[in-house]
Amino acid sequence: MESMGKKKPRPRRSFTPGFKAEIVELCRRGDRSVGQIAKDFDLTETAVRLWISQAEVDAGEREGLTSSECVNWPPCAGRTAGCGRTLKSSSGPS
């Protein structure tokens, strides 16, 4: 008997930088919550929040590796939302 209520995981999707930028801009406008925007576009709220954080790093508003730096850093290879590592933590032990 199959268990009811178990959802099949959806396949991993990829999004263009332009699409992510549009979603981030919608969130910054503030007329809808991040959760509502995520729901409207069939995205996870966690992914949208990661895109917002990465956009803040790229704009110099938050510490961390920019998208271009992250592309060239081996532990980040293949990640879509940025590596989430800060420059301080990536430089090794102090």
Side-chain angles (χ1 to χ4, degrees):
M1 184 174 177
E2 291 185 33
S3 65
M4 296 168 65
K6 271 197 168 180
K7 286 187 176 182
K8 188 176 179 182
R10 76 171 150 198
R12 187 173 195 93
R13 300 177 293 170
S14 61
F15 302 97
T16 65
F19 177 77
K20 293 177 185 181
E22 288 180 37
I23 297 298
V24 169
E25 180 57 34
L26 286 172
C27 294
R28 286 184 173 170
R29 284 188 204 158
D31 55 334
R32 290 185 281 174
S33 69
V34 172
Q36 186 60 53
I37 291 169
K39 184 176 178 182
D40 291 348
F41 287 88
D42 191 30
L43 303 166
T44 65
E45 189 172 341
T46 301
V48 174
R49 290 190 185 283
L50 286 172
W51 296 348
I52 293 167
S53 294
Q54 188 62 51
E56 290 170 349
V57 170
D58 291 346
E61 300 166 0
R62 175 186 285 225
E63 282 192 34
L65 292 175
T66 65
S67 295
S68 59
E69 291 171 324
C70 200
V71 167
N72 298 317
W73 198 52
C76 296
R79 295 195 185 175
T80 58
C83 62
R85 298 287 302 258
T86 64
L87 291 172
K88 189 174 186 178
S89 65
S90 67
S91 63
S94 300

